[in-house]
Amino acid sequence: MTDHEAKVERRGFLKILNSLLAAVGLTAIVGPAIAYFWPSKLEEMPSEPVSAGSEGSIPEGEAKTVRFGRYPALVINTPKRGIVAYSAVCTHFACLVKWNPEIDKIECPCHEGYFSAVDGSVISGPPPTPLEEILVTIVDGNILIGGEA
Ligand code: FES
């Protein structure tokens, strides 16, 4: 192999490497933008209802986080609607939301997103869509979340 051929081969390799790095950089920039406008859905909800404990285990104005399939769910005893449940996965970048009883709102600690406990709607912050609501049924004093209506 001549010096000239080695230079051409090296140049070709550097071009490929440059293209790969550009593709990785573009993915790092475009990926979050796509996730913002098309947030991931909660795909893996259990098909059967999941127990969230007894009705009395969540006093009014309080909440608990329960395991709901692959993702946690937030179960809140609201003064307006009684017991409600939402996916605890933020619709922005999938951080886990939590109940803040001092302000009566669901908050996402990652980017200060706030959701209503009444309907899961976005009150403020960057989340693009409401929290996904989960069906709640009370059977013999036990809270069941999920399943079919
Ligand atoms: S991930 Fe929840 S506000 Fe950004």
Side-chain angles (χ1 to χ4, degrees):
M1 180 182 289
T2 66
D3 272 358
H4 178 70
E5 286 171 337
K7 277 184 184 172
V8 169
E9 199 168 288
R10 195 175 319 131
R11 207 173 289 146
F13 171 75
L14 290 175
K15 273 187 180 177
I16 291 171
L17 183 64
N18 200 17
S19 297
L20 282 174
L21 291 175
V24 169
L26 192 64
T27 302
I29 292 169
V30 173
I34 290 171
Y36 181 83
F37 291 107
W38 288 279
S40 59
K41 281 278 186 187
L42 191 59
E43 300 287 354
E44 298 177 39
M45 283 191 173
S47 55
E48 297 296 315
V50 170
S51 174
S54 69
E55 208 174 358
S57 68
I58 309 174
E60 190 174 283
E62 298 290 322
K64 70 161 74 167
T65 301
V66 297
R67 191 183 173 112
F68 187 64
R70 187 172 165 203
Y71 303 96
L74 191 59
V75 185
I76 312 166
N77 188 350
T78 67
K80 286 186 182 166
R81 282 189 59 201
I83 295 176
V84 293
Y86 302 100
S87 162
V89 179
C90 182
T91 57
H92 184 217
F93 282 141
C95 286
L96 295 184
V97 299
K98 62 183 181 183
W99 174 239
N100 185 334
E102 291 165 16
I103 56 173
D104 280 339
K105 291 175 187 160
I106 301 165
E107 69 179 20
C108 179
C110 289
H111 310 103
E112 296 184 24
Y114 291 92
F115 300 89
S116 165
V118 176
D119 58 6
S121 61
V122 179
I123 296 171
S124 65
T129 56
L131 291 174
E132 190 162 347
E133 187 161 359
I134 299 169
L135 178 71
V136 173
T137 48
I138 309 293
V139 178
D140 298 329
N142 293 310
I143 306 164
L144 298 176
I145 63 170
E148 299 292 319

